[in-house]
């Protein structure tokens, strides 16, 4: 039997999605009203793939982190990521998301540590609230979500738009979540290569920092600056696993008395963090950092890579920060 044309399949798929969306209109009416009130074009953002791009041909069935059996495309082309970890994972695999989500912790924008990698993509969710009108207009062929965002609570509505895969429930480590994302994208081999490179860099960093750890308490302070004061960061699993692998431990309390201190600003990249630290370093709340700063034991970093859930790009960013701060300069 001849294979239907790609254009015909795409048109039929769009028609089916529109019909299904009508059946869930009541459950998502709030999101639809939010979108319709904007009065803006619902097409892809500049730089995103053209809406007429043909969909994938062929499917396969996988089991996601919730134990759901999901039929997904063999080669998804219009992928929507609804969390930071799924965005990180997709970009690490060379996949440019067609639609994405933003969160207040990142200043309602792409996390700064990913900004130079992410191409313009349509924002279809804000702080876990999905704008279903925008999402449906993109006609995605795969949606990736996880337990780090409340969008995961709307699986039925998401599945009505496109195959939806839960990559992690929140109980999984970043490597397991990344592997699950790669499986959904049919890129398991590429994921192993990414993890292999990370493992090599981790081993190299461990060798580089070990001589500098002798005679120290091997403690690391992670300081987060938010709203004009100190706030304990919500560490991602990638930070914990890196510190443990390097034989380091978190300094207690605010972290200002660690052998090395990593200072980041909530939702800001390194450039903004440098300016913030320069302006705030004389404040009494940062007085414990004065001696460490004089001894060059304070590293100002991109805080967005250090807190919250992450993926391989966040992990490599943190690993590089630790190596640059702790290891003796080469040469």
């Amino acid at each position: 039997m001849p294979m239907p044309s790609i254009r015909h399949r795409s048109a039929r798929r769009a028609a089916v999605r529109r019909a299904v969306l009508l059946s869930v209109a009541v459950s998502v009416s709030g999101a639809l009203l939010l979108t319709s009130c904007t009065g803006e074009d619902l097409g892809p953002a500049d730089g995103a793939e053209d809406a007429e791009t043909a969909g994938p041909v062929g499917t396969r069935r996988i089991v996601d982190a919730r134990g759901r059996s999901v039929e997904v495309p063999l080669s998804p082309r219009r992928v929507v990521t609804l969390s930071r970890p799924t965005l990180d994972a997709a970009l690490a695999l060379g996949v440019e998301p067609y639609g994405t989500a933003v969160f207040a912790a990142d200043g309602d924008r792409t996390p700064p540590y990913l900004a130079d990698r992410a191409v313009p993509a349509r924002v279809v969710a804000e702080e876990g609230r999905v704008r279903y009108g925008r999402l449906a207009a993109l006609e995605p062929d795969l949606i990736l979500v996880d337990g780090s965002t409340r969008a995961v609570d709307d699986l039925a509505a998401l599945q009505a738009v496109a195959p939806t895969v839960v990559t992690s429930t929140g109980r999984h480590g970043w490597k397991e979540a990344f592997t699950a994302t790669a499986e959904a994208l049919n890129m398991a081999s590429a994921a192993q290569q990414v993890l292999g490179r990370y493992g090599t860099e981790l081993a190299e960093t461990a060798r580089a920092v070990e001589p500098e750890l002798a005679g120290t308490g091997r403690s690391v302070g992670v300081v987060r600056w938010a709203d004009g004061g100190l706030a304990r960061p919500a560490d991602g699993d990638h930070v914990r696993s890196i510190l443990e692998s390097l034989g380091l431990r978190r300094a207690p309390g605010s972290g200002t008395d660690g052998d090395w201190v990593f200072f980041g600003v909530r939702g800001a990249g390194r450039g903004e963090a440098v300016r913030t630290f320069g302006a705030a370093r004389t404040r009494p709340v940062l007085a414990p950092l004065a001696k460490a700063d004089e001894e060059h034991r304070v590293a100002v970093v991109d805080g967005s890579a250090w807190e919250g859930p992450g993926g391989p790009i966040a992990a490599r960013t943190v690993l590089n920060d630790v190596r640059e701060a702790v290891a003796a300069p080469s040469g």
Side-chain angles (χ1 to χ4, degrees):
M1 179 176 180
M3 179 71 71
S5 70
I6 291 177
R7 182 175 297 275
H8 175 71
R9 288 165 61 90
S10 180
R12 182 176 60 186
R13 185 185 304 108
V16 171
R17 284 178 183 156
R18 284 191 290 270
V20 176
L21 279 172
L22 288 174
S23 68
V24 297
V26 173
S27 64
V28 299
S29 59
L32 289 171
L33 284 172
L34 280 171
T35 304
S36 63
C37 288
T38 65
E40 56 184 306
D41 176 27
L42 296 180
D46 291 340
E49 190 177 353
D50 188 283
E52 292 299 318
T53 299
V57 176
T59 61
R60 62 195 182 95
R61 190 165 288 278
I62 65 172
V63 177
D64 73 1
R66 284 272 187 95
R68 301 162 56 247
S69 178
V70 185
E71 188 174 2
V72 298
L74 283 173
S75 302
R77 301 179 185 178
R78 292 191 292 256
V79 178
V80 170
T81 59
L82 294 181
S83 69
R84 293 170 97 246
T86 54
L87 173 61
D88 185 314
L91 292 173
L93 292 167
V95 174
E96 299 176 351
Y98 200 56
T100 189
V102 294
F103 298 89
D106 298 315
D108 294 319
R109 59 184 177 179
T110 299
Y113 81 94
L114 295 175
D116 63 343
R117 295 173 178 261
V119 299
R122 188 69 172 185
V123 173
V124 297
E126 298 156 350
E127 204 61 29
R129 184 182 60 192
V130 179
R131 296 201 172 199
Y132 285 91
R134 291 184 180 180
L135 179 62
L138 293 184
E139 296 188 9
D141 47 43
L142 181 65
I143 300 172
L144 301 173
V145 67
D146 60 33
S148 71
T149 169
R150 63 182 182 180
V152 78
D153 297 330
D154 297 326
L155 288 180
L158 293 172
Q159 185 69 35
V161 179
T164 301
V165 175
V166 180
T167 61
S168 173
T169 61
R171 297 189 300 270
H172 306 88
W174 73 265
K175 292 182 182 179
E176 188 174 357
F178 171 59
T179 301
T181 301
E183 175 63 22
L185 293 169
N186 205 11
M187 299 183 70
S189 296
Q192 291 308 307
Q193 293 177 17
V194 171
L195 292 176
R197 288 193 294 270
Y198 169 78
T200 298
E201 293 177 11
L202 179 63
E204 291 173 347
T205 299
R207 288 193 295 270
V209 304
E210 185 59 35
E212 305 304 313
L213 298 177
T216 73
R218 305 177 79 95
S219 67
V220 168
V222 181
V223 175
R224 170 192 177 192
W225 189 265
D227 301 322
L230 291 179
R232 185 168 181 81
D235 288 350
D237 169 73
H238 62 294
V239 175
R240 292 190 295 271
S241 66
I242 286 172
L243 297 184
E244 291 173 1
S245 297
L246 298 177
L248 298 168
R249 62 179 181 84
R250 278 291 303 273
S254 65
T256 55
D257 58 350
D259 292 311
W260 288 272
V261 178
F262 295 87
F263 178 94
V265 175
R266 180 177 186 254
R270 186 176 182 279
E272 185 175 339
V274 168
R275 292 189 292 273
T276 299
F277 182 69
R281 63 195 301 177
T282 59
R283 294 189 185 184
V285 71
L286 290 182
L289 288 182
K291 187 173 186 298
D293 189 32
E294 292 174 359
E295 297 175 352
H296 305 289
R297 292 186 288 109
V298 176
V300 181
V301 299
D302 183 334
S304 67
W306 278 75
E307 66 174 320
I313 299 176
R316 293 181 70 184
T317 301
V318 171
L319 191 61
N320 186 64
D321 288 341
V322 172
R323 181 168 183 163
E324 287 186 354
V326 179
S330 59

